[in-house]
Amino acid sequence: MDPHNHPGPGALDRRDFLRGAALTGAAAAAGGLGALGPAVSALGGPTTPGPEGPAAPGLEGPAAPGLDGPAAPAGPAGFPAYAFLGEALNVASLRYNPTGELIFPCVRGVYDKLATPLGRYYLYYAPHDAPGGICLAYGDSLAQPFTEYPRNPIVARTWSPHYSVSHVSSPHVLWNAATRQFHLYFHGENTTTRLALSDDGITFRYHGVVLSTARVPNTTETSYARVFDHSIPALGSRYVMVFMAYHTVPPGVRKIFWGWSADGRSFTFDPQPLVSPVGDGETDISGPYVLKRNGTSYVVYHGGSGRMYLTEVGNAFDRENHLGVFHTPLATAPDNRRSAAPSFGTDGGVNYMFYEAGQRAGTRIAVARAV
């Protein structure tokens, strides 16, 4: 059977899916930029390991059990399991939090890229609901709470003369070593993914639209994109993009699509989905992130149930080998049975995962640590 055209149950309403209405879903794990250890890397400008030694204290509390008991010792394909550590931000003290919900974390190590950074690590995040707004926080440890940048949002829903939309959200930042620039990918509206460029990771220049429904046939949404440094010689590419699209081909569900690029600015897109939800028993999937291990490439993403899943796609992005549940959310706060949109990194040899935790009306950025 063609893995790109599996039949499946009827699709969820978009807002129901984004809010994670199903109670069986995995809560967004609170996590750092947690990397995946020496044998694993997160593609596309992962955080560089910090000084060796134990992780700094700060996000306190013992690992909380998952829905079915303590976290497993390992995930699929030999990836580590992650246990909740704490929340990345003190939500009560945030100056900019217009909707009471924060999504789509992206953490980047900047201490080896900037002469005078605000901190060793930058955390990008955003509200989703209008007006949204791309936000920045900074810190010196992935195990410590981050400090809000005082002039958020760094990108707003109106950027004259380039666009004026209801909201902007889902920030993903790539460090382009060749140009020594930060690439910020974000959506607004849900049909359009945009790119802005920066020399310092704070002040951005608008570049333009890099993805839209007009560029991927049979889609009505193209958003939640992440871009990674990954060469595919046969395509002459250096970067890959993975993103969520609503695929109108019956039964009409949200799937993971992909594209490739030589420069991270102009992309070619595969018209067929990379990963379909039926292989995980889901109706919709979103929030993809590319990981490497075992000499091959994987995509981790979340489903409407709230769990995260792992699928091997291969280094040529030419396969779809579903490997099962990658992470199960906590039944209690902050996950409340939903974990989504993970971002990974390493600090001092310790592996972390930052993720979107909770049902969408009140999501927070959580941090989990490899166990």
Side-chain angles (χ1 to χ4, degrees):
M1 180 180 295
D2 182 354
H4 297 300
N5 292 285
H6 290 307
L12 295 172
D13 172 82
R14 178 179 177 275
R15 180 163 288 274
D16 286 342
F17 171 57
L18 291 177
R19 292 199 182 284
L23 286 181
T24 55
L33 244 218
L36 302 172
V40 187
S41 66
L43 295 177
T47 50
T48 307
E52 291 308 314
L59 299 175
E60 66 277 347
L67 291 178
D68 300 313
F79 284 92
Y82 289 87
F84 174 70
L85 182 62
E87 294 186 19
L89 299 163
N90 182 346
V91 174
S93 69
L94 293 179
R95 185 195 66 82
Y96 185 81
N97 186 12
T99 60
E101 42 87 35
L102 306 173
I103 72 165
F104 214 79
C106 179
V107 183
R108 288 293 173 254
V110 295
Y111 54 86
D112 58 347
K113 301 172 179 66
L114 300 173
T116 56
L118 299 175
R120 291 173 57 81
Y121 300 98
Y122 284 1
L123 169 64
Y124 300 88
Y125 63 97
H128 181 270
D129 294 341
I134 307 305
C135 297
L136 171 68
Y138 56 91
D140 289 326
S141 167
L142 298 184
Q144 294 272 11
F146 279 66
T147 299
E148 180 187 21
Y149 180 65
R151 292 189 289 278
N152 282 331
I154 59 173
V155 173
R157 65 176 174 177
T158 298
W159 195 337
S160 182
H162 308 298
Y163 64 78
S164 179
V165 295
S166 69
H167 75 286
V168 290
S169 193
S170 71
H172 178 81
V173 172
L174 167 78
W175 169 250
N176 187 318
T179 63
R180 297 198 61 79
Q181 291 180 325
F182 295 91
H183 288 207
L184 168 63
Y185 303 87
F186 60 101
H187 82 250
E189 308 288 354
N190 292 302
T191 58
T192 305
T193 295
R194 305 173 187 274
L195 170 63
L197 306 173
S198 173
D199 298 320
D200 63 5
I202 301 173
T203 303
F204 285 87
R205 306 177 298 279
Y206 188 71
H207 176 77
V209 173
V210 293
L211 166 66
S212 72
T213 53
R215 303 182 188 185
V216 185
N218 302 312
T219 61
T220 57
E221 298 171 10
T222 47
S223 49
Y224 303 101
R226 295 191 189 270
V227 176
F228 302 89
D229 195 330
H230 179 75
S231 297
I232 302 179
L235 299 177
S237 63
R238 179 175 174 179
Y239 303 96
V240 295
M241 175 189 288
V242 288
F243 59 96
M244 181 211 78
Y246 186 91
H247 200 207
T248 59
V249 173
V253 295
R254 292 175 181 85
K255 302 173 182 177
I256 306 304
F257 282 71
W258 78 292
W260 57 94
S261 172
D263 60 6
R265 302 184 185 196
S266 178
F267 288 82
T268 301
F269 299 104
D270 190 339
Q272 298 299 324
L274 178 67
V275 183
S276 296
V278 69
D280 303 304
E282 295 279 353
T283 54
D284 293 279
I285 53 178
S286 185
Y289 198 103
V290 176
L291 300 174
K292 291 188 112 177
R293 188 183 180 93
N294 306 321
T296 187
S297 299
Y298 305 84
V299 177
V300 59
Y301 50 90
H302 69 268
S305 69
R307 294 181 175 86
M308 296 182 198
Y309 297 90
L310 186 73
T311 291
E312 182 191 4
V313 296
N315 290 332
F317 280 55
D318 58 357
R319 68 188 71 167
E320 184 181 355
N321 180 20
H322 289 257
L323 299 173
V325 174
F326 180 85
H327 182 76
T328 298
L330 306 176
T332 56
D335 293 8
N336 294 318
R337 300 180 182 271
R338 181 177 179 272
S339 55
S343 180
F344 299 86
T346 302
D347 183 5
V350 179
N351 306 326
Y352 294 86
M353 176 175 73
F354 282 68
Y355 66 101
E356 177 186 317
Q359 302 299 324
R360 273 295 308 274
T363 46
R364 302 191 175 195
I365 305 305
V367 182
R369 185 163 55 196
V371 295

